[in-house]
Amino acid sequence: VQLQASGGGLVQAGGSLRLSCAFSGGTFSDRNMAWFRQAPGKGRTFVAAIKWSGQNTVYADSLKGRFTISRDNANHMVYLQMDSAQPEDTAVYYCAADRAGRTGSPSTLASTYNYWGQGTQVTVSS
């Protein structure tokens, strides 16, 4: 399994950015997917996750209403729409894939996810 994240860059506070993650090398439509982020000098934290069906999403409480996770099972893509960006959103954003066939709600724990992309840098200027 390989994950390739893209779409990061520099955005002004209040602006929007859309991150993409391309999945390859395995089955996609039976895996939960997630986004995590790591700010400078801090640990990796949960951002959002989406069930394999796309019908169940989970968000970090502080990001609800500003970030939206979605997926396109036909094209093996996961997206993270970031709206009303804030300087504290500055981080490297990672997409992650769970093992195939897990039931239940998607996990918020990094240890659950077996596969990780290389990360894409997002910088929000004030």
Side-chain angles (χ1 to χ4, degrees), residues 23 30 39 54 67 89 108 116 122:
F23 175 99
D30 59 352
F67 286 19
D89 295 326
T108 64
W116 294 81
V122 172

Side-chain angles (χ1 to χ4, degrees), residues 2-110:
Q2 292 185 331
L3 301 171
Q4 181 70 44
S6 62
L10 177 64
V11 62
Q12 289 188 336
S16 296
L17 206 60
R18 189 195 197 202
L19 306 183
S20 300
C21 177
F23 175 99
S24 62
T27 58
F28 178 73
S29 60
D30 59 352
R31 295 178 193 265
N32 298 336
M33 300 291 294
W35 288 94
F36 289 78
R37 69 185 184 183
Q38 187 164 12
K42 297 187 178 181
R44 194 169 295 189
T45 59
F46 173 75
V47 174
I50 187 166
K51 192 172 176 66
W52 56 266
S53 64
Q55 295 187 349
N56 186 0
T57 56
V58 182
Y59 294 93
D61 287 343
S62 62
L63 301 177
K64 288 179 181 177
R66 293 199 298 119
F67 286 19
T68 304
I69 188 171
S70 61
R71 66 189 295 160
D72 178 351
N73 281 352
N75 291 298
H76 294 193
M77 297 291 295
V78 181
Y79 304 100
L80 184 69
Q81 177 68 38
M82 303 170 57
D83 295 321
S84 301
Q86 301 300 316
E88 54 265 35
D89 295 326
T90 295
V92 177
Y93 284 72
Y94 298 90
C95 61
D98 198 349
R99 64 170 174 80
R102 188 185 298 277
T103 58
S105 297
S107 174
T108 64
L109 300 176

